Amino acid sequence: MRGFERLRADRFGLPNQPRKWPRQLHARLVDNLSRAGAAVVGFDIHFEEPRDPAQDQLFVQAVQRAGNVVLFEYLRKDTHPLTDAAGRNSGDVVTERRVPPFPALAQAAAATAPFPLPKVPVKVSQFWLYKDGAGDAATLPVVMWQLRTLALYPELLRQLRAVSPAASQLPSDAESLRRAGNLRSVMEPLRALLRQPLVGAQVRAQLAADTTLSPATRKMLSALVQVYQDEDSRYLNFYGPPHSITTLPYYAVWQADASPGAPMLDLRGKMVFVGFSESQQPEQQDGFYTVYSQATSGLDISGVEIAATALANMLEDNPVRPLGSAAQFALLLGWGLLVGTIALFWRVGLCSAVLTALVLVYLLVAFGLFTRHALWLPLVLPLGLQLPAALLAGSLWHYRDVGRERNRIRQAFRHYLPERAVAALARDLRAAPGGELMHGVCLATDAAQYSTLAEHMPPQELAALMNRYYELLFQPVRQHQGFVSDIVGDAMLAVWAQVQPDASQRAQACRAALDVARAAEGFSQSIKSVEFATRLGLHAGTIMLGNIGTVDHFEYRAVGDIVNTAARLQALNKVLGTRILASHETTEGLDEFMLRPLGLFRVPGKTRPTAVVELCGYTREATDNQHVLLKDFAAALGQFTRADFATARNGFEQLLQRFPLDGPSGYYLGLCERYLAKPPGPGWDGVVTVTEHRTRRRIAALPDV
């Protein structure tokens, strides 16, 4: 497990410089961490100088009692000028000197160690395991990891003695060395031995085959051996943005003492870092630029969280590991040959699709290896240099075949697009890749009881049934110059589109909707098991028509708000008990149709109201009863809109007495009763907000008798 403590100065009324805090605070913190069972405690705070003797003594005693505290050492760079024989300056030598905590505290600690990170504004992606400029000293996370696994030292020593006779020179009792504060006398010879050729690999192989050890013990020892085997630095495998590692406020741990009523804290087996890490950038005094640094807020990852990340990588044995030089050369050679061969000898269309697929596969493999095994495959050379070079060579090679390739693409599009759409898509590809802004009408359909039907019908029979259903629906759409953009289950989306707005286009969509409803009604009557009623929604406006998908598969789709609105109007039929609903924008000025305005509705998912109209049929076919219904409904709706709910209720009740199956009258009658019981308020604007799709009355056609 991993975690670290976040210092909060404002809780104690102290400055944001933890090294200047009263050391009795740190003493109590160490005692509380020990009481909570922390396995190892690492301070990312430098206590260079003694201050108040009494408080220093409390801190020293607490660290000594704990026996598992590793303290931070500061690395100080010293510059020494060089002179030649004539006494002239010939350069400088920079050395690094470890500055430990003040002596009494350093002697009380289990160990001290540095953790250097760059102070210049470069991206931190690696950390030091061992600092060669400071005498090859093990850094803070390494020392903490060795301290955490110290109980397993006898087993490691047994494994080493089975591999190398030199292991007999290692100390037999590491615990006594920890108590003496000289843990490095174990670590330094251990590293020297495990870095010998084959020794570390043989020990790891023995550990993997030793079934007498528990899996947890084998994993910890193997990870420790790998830490000693590794070079001086490792790549960091970050767990996410700042504060991805478990963070506890300093004051919360400080308060968790043994006093009655104090909060309980369980840190058994956990390794804990104590350091400065704030969530607000103005307070961040120890932040470092990483791949997770946030461009908007500027928040970096703190040094203590980077140290915790390094330690967690050791625990899980999953640091980011670049591909080895030989393997990287082989990968780049093979990748270059593969993409070069495809680009030179395959046709452009197929080449682009295959190379895109290969890039996706490469990225997926790289992502999988990175996430599962923290293995870092090269990306810039194969994808940023080799691939573009191969594509350029292939383009030049196939330049004379460009015209023929374009024709092949058009032929491929004609397999699943109408001729008009193919021509439009070809123009779009040349002029505006991704689509063209057009004026269109969307018709959305949905069938009731489809889920019930699918549940009780074998898939083969259901597929045959839906094929017959869509054959009936597609025919009116094509007949009225539309095209089917999408089908999903029992839902269809048809589109009419032109560059300029045209009332005839909207009329075609309305005619198609009436024909679709008529065809669907006949189909529903042929099914005896369920009522397979089809609901339709129409909306007109601006859409983007273009190819949606990837180079190996795309669909000619309509994208825009009118698609969503048409679907919402289709669903509103369930609430109003209607069959075909359209927006006012769709039916405006179309006198050939019998229309019933149903008012303003704010449908789910929409913030602006929509003027909804029921498309009832053709004006030339309207009966006297239908004219009466439309007239009386309009009068009652006007009273409702003016908030005269009592009069409107009477009007809707009278309508239902004559036309008991009229869904909109029943719906508004319910609204009037609800608003009479609880008025909507003085600011009501006549808009009906629909919060759920619930059928209040049976769907029925407008009465014609």
Side-chain angles (χ1 to χ4, degrees), residues 80-291:
H80 306 280
L82 297 177
T83 57
D84 57 16
R88 295 187 297 266
N89 185 281
S90 59
D92 295 319
V93 173
V94 179
T95 60
E96 290 182 308
R97 178 167 54 90
R98 289 160 38 195
V99 181
F102 64 90
L105 186 62
Q107 292 172 7
T112 61
F115 188 65
L117 288 171
K119 291 297 183 183
V120 294
V122 297
K123 184 183 295 183
V124 175
S125 57
Q126 294 177 270
F127 71 97
W128 292 103
L129 289 167
Y130 306 92
K131 195 67 174 72
D132 54 356
D136 207 28
T139 58
L140 185 64
V142 177
V143 175
M144 290 181 67
W145 181 227
Q146 175 61 82
L147 187 60
R148 175 67 179 85
T149 57
L150 202 57
L152 304 178
Y153 176 76
E155 179 58 38
L156 177 61
L157 193 60
R158 183 178 71 84
Q159 299 284 346
L160 274 170
R161 286 173 176 171
V163 171
S164 173
S168 59
Q169 304 298 320
L170 292 172
S172 300
D173 183 12
E175 282 291 339
S176 61
L177 296 172
R178 177 177 69 169
R179 289 191 293 271
N182 195 17
L183 192 61
R184 282 204 177 89
S185 62
V186 175
M187 300 180 66
E188 292 171 0
L190 259 180
R191 187 178 187 228
L193 181 59
L194 287 170
R195 284 179 61 83
Q196 291 180 7
L198 301 180
V199 172
Q202 290 179 7
V203 171
R204 295 192 75 182
Q206 282 184 178
L207 288 170
D210 194 340
T211 57
T212 63
L213 300 176
S214 68
T217 299
R218 290 202 302 270
K219 180 179 178 181
M220 292 179 70
L221 284 175
S222 181
L224 179 63
V225 171
Q226 186 64 58
V227 167
Y228 282 121
Q229 277 187 281
D230 273 355
E231 299 297 330
D232 290 342
S233 64
R234 274 185 178 182
Y235 283 91
L236 286 158
N237 188 0
F238 288 102
Y239 297 94
H243 308 301
S244 294
I245 293 182
T246 305
T247 304
L248 298 175
Y250 185 101
Y251 71 86
V253 182
W254 188 85
Q255 293 173 346
D257 56 13
S259 61
M264 300 295 294
L265 190 65
D266 185 6
L267 296 174
R268 285 174 292 183
K270 292 181 172 61
M271 292 177 284
V272 181
F273 277 89
V274 182
F276 192 88
S277 178
E278 280 292 342
S279 58
Q280 298 297 325
Q281 186 65 26
E283 300 296 325
Q284 186 76 1
Q285 297 185 2
D286 189 31
F288 294 87
Y289 176 61
T290 68
V291 293

Side-chain angles (χ1 to χ4, degrees), residues 106 241 497 511 583 674:
R511 295 186 198 109
S583 63
R674 189 171 68 188

Side-chain angles (χ1 to χ4, degrees), residues 353-615:
V354 171
L355 287 181
T356 300
L358 282 175
V359 169
L360 292 176
V361 170
Y362 189 97
L363 290 173
L364 287 174
V365 170
F367 180 76
L369 290 175
F370 187 84
T371 54
R372 292 173 178 265
H373 306 290
L375 185 63
W376 184 0
L377 295 186
L379 295 178
V380 175
L381 281 177
L383 303 184
L385 293 179
Q386 288 180 299
L387 185 64
L391 287 174
L392 178 60
S395 298
L396 295 174
W397 183 265
H398 296 291
Y399 179 75
R400 60 189 177 131
D401 298 328
V402 168
R404 185 174 57 184
E405 294 301 327
R406 287 179 178 174
N407 289 332
R408 292 180 69 250
I409 292 174
R410 292 192 186 96
Q411 291 297 328
F413 287 158
R414 290 191 179 97
H415 287 299
Y416 53 94
L417 290 177
E419 186 64 31
R420 178 171 174 268
V422 171
L425 183 57
R427 289 194 301 271
D428 290 344
L429 287 172
R430 290 194 300 267
E436 182 180 0
L437 199 62
M438 304 185 76
H439 185 85
V441 182
C442 287
L443 168 63
T445 73
D446 191 65
Q449 303 298 321
Y450 172 76
S451 298
T452 303
L453 194 66
E455 182 181 4
H456 296 91
M457 184 175 287
Q460 300 90 336
E461 295 181 20
L462 180 64
L465 180 73
M466 296 309 295
N467 284 338
R468 296 199 306 271
Y469 172 71
Y470 281 123
E471 184 178 0
L472 293 173
L473 267 60
F474 288 0
Q475 185 176 357
V477 173
R478 296 193 188 100
Q479 181 182 351
H480 294 287
Q481 306 303 313
F483 72 92
V484 175
S485 172
D486 192 21
I487 55 171
V488 178
D490 60 331
M492 176 188 78
L493 179 69
V495 178
W496 287 257
Q498 292 184 176
V499 176
Q500 297 296 331
D502 190 354
S504 64
Q505 179 190 75
R506 294 185 283 114
Q508 285 180 325
C510 291
R511 295 186 198 109
L514 291 171
D515 290 348
V516 166
R518 188 177 301 111
E521 184 176 359
F523 178 82
S524 178
Q525 292 174 357
S526 68
I527 304 176
K528 305 301 182 183
S529 56
V530 297
E531 184 181 356
F532 201 72
T534 299
R535 301 178 294 267
L536 298 91
L538 287 155
H539 186 49
T542 303
I543 57 173
M544 179 71 74
L545 273 179
N547 53 313
I548 305 299
T550 61
V551 292
D552 57 345
H553 174 75
F554 70 86
E555 296 185 15
Y556 194 76
R557 288 283 186 91
V559 178
D561 180 63
I562 72 167
V563 179
N564 297 329
T565 303
R568 297 296 188 273
L569 291 176
Q570 173 275 126
L572 187 60
N573 284 291
K574 296 168 63 177
V575 178
L576 299 181
T578 51
R579 182 64 54 82
I580 307 174
L581 292 180
S583 63
H584 174 72
E585 293 89 338
T586 306
T587 60
E588 183 180 10
L590 302 182
D591 297 333
E592 69 175 291
F593 300 104
M594 180 170 45
L595 307 171
R596 173 161 54 159
L598 298 180
L600 292 171
F601 287 83
R602 185 176 291 109
V603 295
K606 304 283 292 182
T607 58
R608 291 179 293 185
T610 302
V612 179
V613 177
E614 182 184 9
L615 178 59

Side-chain angles (χ1 to χ4, degrees), residues 5-8 10-12 29 248-256 263:
E5 302 303 319
R6 182 175 63 195
L7 302 180
R8 289 295 303 270
D10 54 352
R11 291 282 179 168
F12 301 102
L29 180 79
L248 298 175
Y250 185 101
Y251 71 86
V253 182
W254 188 85
Q255 293 173 346

